[in-house]
């Protein structure tokens, strides 16, 4: 989400005539887009703000703007704490930045493309495509209040963007060469519940599937209590919707899930995975897991471990619990799992997942996969399969430009838990 928002801000500034500075010392304007999902991230924001204070003392013409989750509803309080910051604006409230910049320098408004529900904004905030893949936020905020999470307090309640606006934006992106869009939201499955009519994510996917030039559609993040049969059927039937689902389970013990306030039980999660695999046999599944949640016993951890062993996800993002001031878990539970125990559980899951991913990826050895070429890294082209697996291939100089931003068929010659290597078999689309 932050990446998508930074892209939009950069896009506006570029269209308004700004150029990127090579270093903060050379900049006239610094915009800090913050993430505070963990306390360590918030500490880094504080560190950076103090560095910027030093810069501002040396260069009085420098403007400093702060956005992202660090900016809570108490903007006055932030202004008092950090008087060297010229503007704080809430995540997604670009109109405040634009008003301020226009007031500062009488910037002209670039091409018209209104922001969601902000009539006063008459400027383009489409991201400038820097690759054939782009993020498109569709819903902001979260209504769930998982006990460990700060997001609902910082991003507020869910607000969906109107469906026509998203369709229009994706249409424009396709004309700029974008081939793959990833729809973003803290909980994309809630999309549309606050809009008039009976719209949901399945309706949005169907509309986007009809847009010429877009080859792939992804969406994240999902909530296991909100993924339903209608969405699964839409995924199975719409040819551009990729066979990949990010479905955070967080824990394999019902007691821990209850303490986390996740709103589902493990049995529901297993049933959901069974249903998804029945409709979309080639689905690639990713998940998130937290180890060392307050009170997590060895037996409860083993349940998480067994769930991962049994389901065999393609990717597992594992994190050790750390209390986040302001959350329910921070208020109500003691962070009583010793850090060495958290670390061991973390390592056990990482090792398990490396074996599972190695095994799943080795099944692709010798097979052809479709990948969208995104760029070059260390002399090799890279991109992702529809199932979101990272693929690298080498090619002769002459054919290089033919591959960039294109869908190509790659024959897989080597696999590892983290990536695939292959050779180009053919170009999928002219
Ligand atoms: Fe946080 Fe839970 Fe909402 Fe995800 S669903 S953003 S973990 S409160």
């Amino acid at each position: 989400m932050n990446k998508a928002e930074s892209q939009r801000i950069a896009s506006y500034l570029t269209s308004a005539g700004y150029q990127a500075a090579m270093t903060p010392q050379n900049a006239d304007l610094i915009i800090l887009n913050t993430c505070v999902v963990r306390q360590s991230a918030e500490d880094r924001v504080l560190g950076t703000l103090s560095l910027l204070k030093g810069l501002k003392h040396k260069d009085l013409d420098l403007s400093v703007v702060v956005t992202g989750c660090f900016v809570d509803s108490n903007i006055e309080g932030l202004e008092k704490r950090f008087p060297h910051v010229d503007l704080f604006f809430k995540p997604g409230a670009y109109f405040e930045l634009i008003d301020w910049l226009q007031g500062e320098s009488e910037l002209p408004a670039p091409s018209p493309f209104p922001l969601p529900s902000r009539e006063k904004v008459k400027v383009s905030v489409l991201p400038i495509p820097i690759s054939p893949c782009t993020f498109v936020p569709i819903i902001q905020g979260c209504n769930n209040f998982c006990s460990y999470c700060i997001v609902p307090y910082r991003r507020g309640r869910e607000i969906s963007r109107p469906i026509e606006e998203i369709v229009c934006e994706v249409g424009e992106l396709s004309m700029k060469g974008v081939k793959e869009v990833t729809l973003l939201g803290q909980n994309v499955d809630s999309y549309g519940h606050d809009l008039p009519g009976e719209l949901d994510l399945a309706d949005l996917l169907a509309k986007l599937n009809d847009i010429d030039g877009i080859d792939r559609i992804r969406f994240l993040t999902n909530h296991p209590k909100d993924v339903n049969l209608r969405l699964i059927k839409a995924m199975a039937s719409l040819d551009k919707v990729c066979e990949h689902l990010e479905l955070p389970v967080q824990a394999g013990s019902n007691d821990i899930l209850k303490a986390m306030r996740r709103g589902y039980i493990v049995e529901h999660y297993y049933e959901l995975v069974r249903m998804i695999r029945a409709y979309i046999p080639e689905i690639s599944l990713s998940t998130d897991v937290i180890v060392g949640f307050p009170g997590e016993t060895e037996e409860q951890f083993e349940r998480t471990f067994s769930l991962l062993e049994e389901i065999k996800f393609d990717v597992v993002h594992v994190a050790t619990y750390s209390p986040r001031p302001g959350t329910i878990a921070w208020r109500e539970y003691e962070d009583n799992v010793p850090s060495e125990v958290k670390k061991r559980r973390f390592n056990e899951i990482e090792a398990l997942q490396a074996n599972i991913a190695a095994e799943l990826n080795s099944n692709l050895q010798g097979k052809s996969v479709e990948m969208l070429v995104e760029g070059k890294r260390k002399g090799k082209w890279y991109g992702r399969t529809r199932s979101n697996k990272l693929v690298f291939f080498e090619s002769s100089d002459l054919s290089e430009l033919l591959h960039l931003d294109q869908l190509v068929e790659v024959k897989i010659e080597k696999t590892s838990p983290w990536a695939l290597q292959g050779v180009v078999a053919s170009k999928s689309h002219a």
Side-chain angles (χ1 to χ4, degrees), residues 3 27 109 113 166 168 174 270 276 287 338 340 372 391-392 404:
K3 242 171 144 176
F113 194 89
I166 299 168
C168 178
S174 85
Y270 274 113
I276 293 166
T287 200
E340 61 279 9
L372 178 54
V391 186
F392 291 92
L404 189 57

Side-chain angles (χ1 to χ4, degrees), residues 142-146 148-152 186-187 223 250 262:
C142 184
N143 292 357
N144 283 319
F145 290 92
C146 300
Y148 53 84
C149 182
I150 195 76
V151 165
Q186 268 78 34
N187 180 9
H223 198 300
Q250 305 299 9
R262 288 290 288 169

Side-chain angles (χ1 to χ4, degrees), residues 146-150 250 260 262 290 293 321 324 327-329:
C146 300
S147 64
Y148 53 84
C149 182
I150 195 76
Q250 305 299 9
M260 287 177 165
R262 288 290 288 169
I290 298 173
F293 190 80
Y321 173 80
R324 191 69 192 80
T327 60
I328 299 164

Side-chain angles (χ1 to χ4, degrees), residues 12-243:
Y12 167 69
L13 292 175
T14 308
S15 58
Y18 281 75
Q19 287 177 336
M22 297 309 283
T23 64
Q25 286 74 12
N26 293 334
D28 299 313
L29 167 68
I30 295 176
I31 301 184
L32 193 60
N33 190 9
T34 57
C35 167
V36 294
V37 71
R38 290 169 76 90
Q39 184 61 45
S40 54
E42 182 148 357
D43 294 345
R44 280 204 298 277
V45 173
L46 294 173
T48 310
L49 277 171
S50 128
L51 281 176
L52 292 177
K53 190 175 179 182
L55 275 185
K56 183 111 183 180
H57 274 148
K58 282 192 201 139
D59 176 3
L60 292 178
D61 291 334
L62 172 69
S63 296
V64 175
V65 172
V66 178
T67 185
C69 294
F70 183 73
V71 183
D72 56 17
S73 40
N74 184 10
I75 289 188
E76 247 178 58
L78 288 171
E79 284 168 347
K80 279 200 189 118
R81 270 176 80 196
F82 306 101
H84 60 291
V85 173
D86 298 272
L87 174 74
F88 289 97
F89 72 95
K90 285 190 172 186
Y94 309 104
F95 65 99
E96 289 180 14
L97 170 70
I98 291 163
D99 278 355
W100 178 79
L101 282 170
Q102 288 177 344
E104 286 283 295
S105 56
E106 295 176 358
L107 285 172
S111 65
F113 194 89
L115 267 169
S117 329
R118 305 287 190 197
E119 280 169 21
K120 63 197 283 197
V121 179
K122 296 283 187 286
V123 295
S124 169
V125 287
L126 272 178
I128 296 171
I130 45 167
S131 97
C133 312
T134 294
F135 297 112
V136 176
I138 61 167
I139 179 167
Q140 278 277 359
C142 184
N143 292 357
N144 283 319
F145 290 92
C146 300
S147 64
Y148 53 84
C149 182
I150 195 76
V151 165
Y153 304 92
R154 297 300 177 93
R155 295 239 166 203
R157 303 295 187 278
E158 290 163 0
I159 304 175
S160 304
R161 293 178 64 190
I163 198 161
E164 310 76 37
E165 187 180 284
I166 299 168
V167 171
C168 178
E169 174 170 331
V170 173
E172 292 214 3
L173 287 169
S174 85
M175 286 191 275
K176 292 183 174 177
V178 169
K179 302 254 168 67
E180 177 181 308
V181 287
T182 301
L183 311 179
L184 292 180
Q186 268 78 34
N187 180 9
V188 275
D189 310 306
S190 298
Y191 176 76
H193 74 89
D194 52 335
L195 296 175
E198 302 272 303
L199 289 173
D200 63 10
L201 181 59
D203 294 307
L204 176 62
L205 292 174
K207 286 207 185 282
L208 298 181
N209 201 67
D210 287 340
I211 296 178
D212 287 342
I214 295 295
D215 291 321
R216 292 174 167 191
I217 304 166
R218 306 182 190 279
F219 50 94
L220 53 93
T221 283
N222 296 277
H223 198 300
K225 76 174 168 51
D226 296 324
V227 172
N228 57 28
L229 187 57
R230 191 173 137 74
L231 177 64
I232 297 169
K233 284 184 174 172
M235 285 186 77
S237 64
L238 298 169
D239 62 328
K240 295 179 182 175
V241 178
C242 292
E243 299 77 21

Side-chain angles (χ1 to χ4, degrees), residues 185-425:
Q186 268 78 34
N187 180 9
V188 275
D189 310 306
S190 298
Y191 176 76
H193 74 89
D194 52 335
L195 296 175
E198 302 272 303
L199 289 173
D200 63 10
L201 181 59
D203 294 307
L204 176 62
L205 292 174
K207 286 207 185 282
L208 298 181
N209 201 67
D210 287 340
I211 296 178
D212 287 342
I214 295 295
D215 291 321
R216 292 174 167 191
I217 304 166
R218 306 182 190 279
F219 50 94
L220 53 93
T221 283
N222 296 277
H223 198 300
K225 76 174 168 51
D226 296 324
V227 172
N228 57 28
L229 187 57
R230 191 173 137 74
L231 177 64
I232 297 169
K233 284 184 174 172
M235 285 186 77
S237 64
L238 298 169
D239 62 328
K240 295 179 182 175
V241 178
C242 292
E243 299 77 21
H244 172 235
L245 202 65
E246 173 81 32
L247 197 61
V249 64
Q250 305 299 9
S253 144
N254 281 337
D255 289 339
I256 296 291
L257 285 176
K258 194 169 171 202
M260 287 177 165
R261 301 194 182 207
R262 288 290 288 169
Y264 54 86
I265 55 174
V266 173
E267 291 73 16
H268 170 81
Y269 192 90
Y270 274 113
E271 175 55 19
L272 190 57
V273 169
R274 192 199 59 73
M275 201 158 69
I276 293 166
R277 285 182 167 157
Y279 278 89
I280 315 162
E282 60 283 25
I283 193 83
S284 136
L285 290 173
S286 310
T287 200
D288 297 350
V289 163
I290 298 173
V291 293
F293 190 80
E296 186 190 57
T297 62
E298 212 50 38
E299 195 257 332
Q300 287 166 334
F301 166 70
E302 288 301 330
R303 285 177 188 267
T304 303
F305 193 88
S306 308
L307 181 139
L308 301 181
E309 259 181 329
E310 209 168 309
I311 292 182
K312 290 188 193 296
F313 293 92
D314 293 81
V315 174
V316 175
H317 304 111
V318 52
T320 52
Y321 173 80
S322 67
R324 191 69 192 80
T327 60
I328 299 164
W330 169 78
R331 250 194 335 268
E332 296 186 1
Y333 307 132
E334 189 193 341
D335 178 22
N336 57 2
V337 177
S339 56
E340 61 279 9
V341 174
K342 287 182 186 170
K343 189 77 197 138
R344 174 181 46 80
R345 292 177 185 172
F346 177 95
N347 290 340
E348 283 182 24
I349 287 185
E350 289 255 288
L352 168 72
Q353 186 52 29
N355 285 335
I356 293 173
E359 183 194 323
L360 294 177
N361 288 351
S362 70
N363 295 335
L364 292 168
Q365 179 87 31
K367 301 221 168 91
S368 280
V369 294
E370 180 202 89
M371 71 176 272
L372 178 54
V373 183
E374 290 177 42
K376 207 167 194 184
R377 205 183 283 164
K378 293 186 183 163
K380 288 183 179 172
W381 291 101
Y382 69 90
R384 292 193 176 259
T385 63
R386 284 177 62 100
S387 57
N388 208 34
K389 291 188 190 287
L390 188 59
V391 186
F392 291 92
F393 71 86
E394 288 183 57
S395 79
S396 68
D397 285 349
L398 276 179
S399 59
E400 281 192 351
L401 286 174
L402 294 177
H403 293 313
L404 189 57
D405 298 351
Q406 299 298 313
L407 290 169
V408 297
E409 288 290 324
V410 175
K411 190 168 175 221
I412 301 304
E413 295 188 324
K414 208 168 147 199
T415 67
S416 78
W418 303 279
L420 311 169
Q421 312 256 1
V423 290
V424 175

